[in-house]
Amino acid sequence: MQTKEAYRGTGMGVIFMAFFGTLWAGIGVMGLQEWGFPYVELAAMLVGLLLLIGGISLLHQAQKMPERTTSHFQHIRFWFNIVFIVEGLLIGAAIAICNAINQTELIPAVIAIIVGIHFLPLASLFRIKLYYVTGIMLCLLALITLLVAPSSILLGDQKLSLLGFGCAITLWTTGLILWLRLKHAKS
């Protein structure tokens, strides 16, 4: 049986994946340096919008269910907030350090690693094994772009495009899987 909290939490998760996936796609678009503009950007916004609608639909369904908030869900909410705050602080510190040492080109990859690592405690907290895969994929994408991808090719900044679109696809896929799993569990 699905609970109001499951629908609300999954809905918020899908919305987060939609929003942050679309932000990462924007970084990928920046790397293209206007190649394919505005079509690539519009496609990214469309995917983000569709996932946003999916997340909102889950929140709407949650409103129709009875409230059953327990101390367990309050515990989860508390630790989610802690993980989210630590992630934000680490991203802020990473940006400041990269700027201070004049290595601003590292900022997107370092942020991707921090975001990837933040999924690991969330996987355990929410008991969603998919988050382990999401976190590892984001970290791997960042490491690949730092260590392997060429700096530029004919289509602009290859590293930025690879990282941005790779993170976007990873987050969007995670959001879609969360949404579909809950819809499938309902039927």
Side-chain angles (χ1 to χ4, degrees):
M1 180 177 128
Q2 297 297 329
T3 64
K4 180 174 190 157
E5 292 80 11
Y7 272 80
R8 185 183 298 144
T10 302
M12 290 305 298
V14 172
I15 290 169
F16 271 80
M17 301 301 166
F19 179 75
F20 288 107
T22 304
L23 282 178
W24 278 107
I27 291 170
V29 167
M30 285 176 17
L32 294 177
Q33 298 175 355
E34 297 193 24
W35 179 87
F37 184 80
Y39 306 108
V40 176
E41 191 169 38
L42 288 173
M45 290 181 357
L46 180 62
V47 171
L49 180 62
L50 290 173
L51 276 177
L52 176 65
I53 291 168
I56 290 171
S57 75
L58 293 175
L59 292 177
H60 181 69
Q61 289 173 340
Q63 293 299 332
K64 300 174 187 175
M65 302 172 112
E67 190 78 44
R68 292 184 353 172
T69 302
T70 65
S71 62
H72 174 70
F73 290 110
Q74 291 170 344
H75 171 80
I76 288 173
R77 191 175 304 131
F78 172 80
W79 284 107
F80 169 78
N81 289 334
I82 296 295
V83 170
F84 195 73
I85 289 167
V86 169
E87 175 194 27
L89 292 172
L90 288 173
I91 288 171
I95 291 169
I97 291 167
C98 287
N99 281 324
I101 63 172
N102 204 22
Q103 298 291 318
T104 56
E105 71 280 356
L106 298 177
I107 291 173
V110 171
I111 289 173
I113 290 169
I114 293 168
V115 171
I117 291 170
H118 115 283
F119 273 98
L120 303 179
L122 294 182
S124 175
L125 182 64
F126 294 128
R127 296 185 182 130
I128 299 175
K129 291 179 184 176
L130 174 63
Y131 283 175
Y132 289 119
V133 175
T134 302
I136 290 167
M137 287 297 298
L138 293 174
C139 291
L140 284 175
L141 278 164
L143 292 172
I144 288 168
T145 57
L146 284 173
L147 303 174
V148 179
S151 294
S152 66
I153 290 188
L154 297 175
L155 298 178
D157 187 339
Q158 181 90 8
K159 287 184 183 229
L160 204 53
S161 292
L162 175 66
L163 182 63
F165 290 125
C167 289
I169 290 168
T170 301
L171 293 173
W172 287 336
T173 301
T174 301
L176 181 62
I177 291 170
L178 291 173
W179 180 22
L180 294 177
R181 277 186 185 169
L182 192 60
K183 287 185 71 74
H184 178 60
K186 178 182 156 185
S187 43

